[in-house]
Amino acid sequence: MKRIFTWLDRVMRLDEVIATAAVFALFLVAISNIFMRYLFGSPLAWTEEILQLLLVWATFLGASALVRRREHVFISFVTDKLPPRLAHWNEQVFSVGIILISALVMLYWGTQLLSFSAFRSTPMLQIPYYWIHVAIPVSAVVMIYHCVVRLIQRHTP
């Protein structure tokens, strides 16, 4: 069982790699469009669609990577004012519970969105919006996995 979790953890770390590659590609495409526009007076027409795709994937996979690394946004205003034992439970509820509920909502509505986006394509490159919007349920599944692993690790000796 431990080997399965080790293998799955390696696969699930791809979210960070893909998000980082998407941000780097986003930078390269944006810079190339700036150079083409201001140096040659001819902007690249397809960059907006590629930037949209890269931004969505970088955002959602980056969010799942932050959940895995426990670096997501956490407002500690209430936790700082509670006694240590209650603060621990408050943190657990928010760091696992709220993220898990949010990921389940993302999974549900993300899959609902896919049925509509399968029939639409981007105007220039004809990329189906399905490939842009599939980042939402993929990220939600990875977030759910990270939350479940965190719950399992917390309750195993």
Side-chain angles (χ1 to χ4, degrees):
M1 186 71 155
K2 189 170 183 152
R3 292 182 93 179
I4 293 172
F5 275 124
T6 304
W7 182 80
L8 273 174
D9 281 340
R10 286 185 183 148
V11 171
M12 292 302 177
R13 288 180 188 269
L14 285 176
D15 59 357
E16 191 169 353
V17 173
I18 295 171
T20 303
V23 169
F24 183 68
L26 189 95
F27 172 75
L28 290 178
V29 170
I31 291 296
S32 66
N33 193 33
I34 290 169
F35 282 130
M36 291 300 293
R37 175 177 301 229
Y38 292 109
L39 292 180
F40 301 111
S42 178
L44 302 170
W46 49 267
T47 57
E48 181 182 343
E49 296 173 6
I50 296 296
L51 291 174
Q52 179 185 16
L53 178 121
L54 291 171
L55 184 63
V56 169
W57 276 93
T59 300
F60 283 100
L61 288 180
S64 66
L66 291 175
V67 169
R68 179 178 46 79
R69 295 170 61 182
R70 295 181 174 131
E71 293 180 358
H72 48 81
V73 174
F74 180 73
I75 301 171
S76 63
F77 176 74
V78 175
T79 305
D80 293 342
K81 305 240 184 266
L82 292 173
R85 185 168 172 86
L86 286 176
H88 171 72
W89 280 104
N90 185 45
E91 184 178 335
Q92 299 311 315
V93 166
F94 283 104
S95 69
V96 176
I98 299 298
I99 292 172
L100 190 58
I101 291 168
S102 299
L104 288 169
V105 170
M106 279 175 46
L107 180 62
Y108 176 76
W109 287 110
T111 53
Q112 296 295 316
L113 178 65
L114 291 181
S115 63
F116 295 108
S117 59
F119 303 109
R120 292 183 50 217
S121 298
T122 60
M124 178 68 72
L125 297 176
Q126 294 299 309
I127 298 170
Y129 277 103
Y130 178 88
W131 293 110
I132 297 171
H133 297 150
V134 77
I136 299 168
V138 166
S139 173
V141 167
V142 176
M143 284 182 188
I144 291 168
Y145 170 79
H146 293 317
C147 287
V148 169
V149 166
R150 194 175 302 162
L151 285 173
I152 290 171
Q153 287 175 344
R154 183 168 296 121
H155 295 295
T156 56

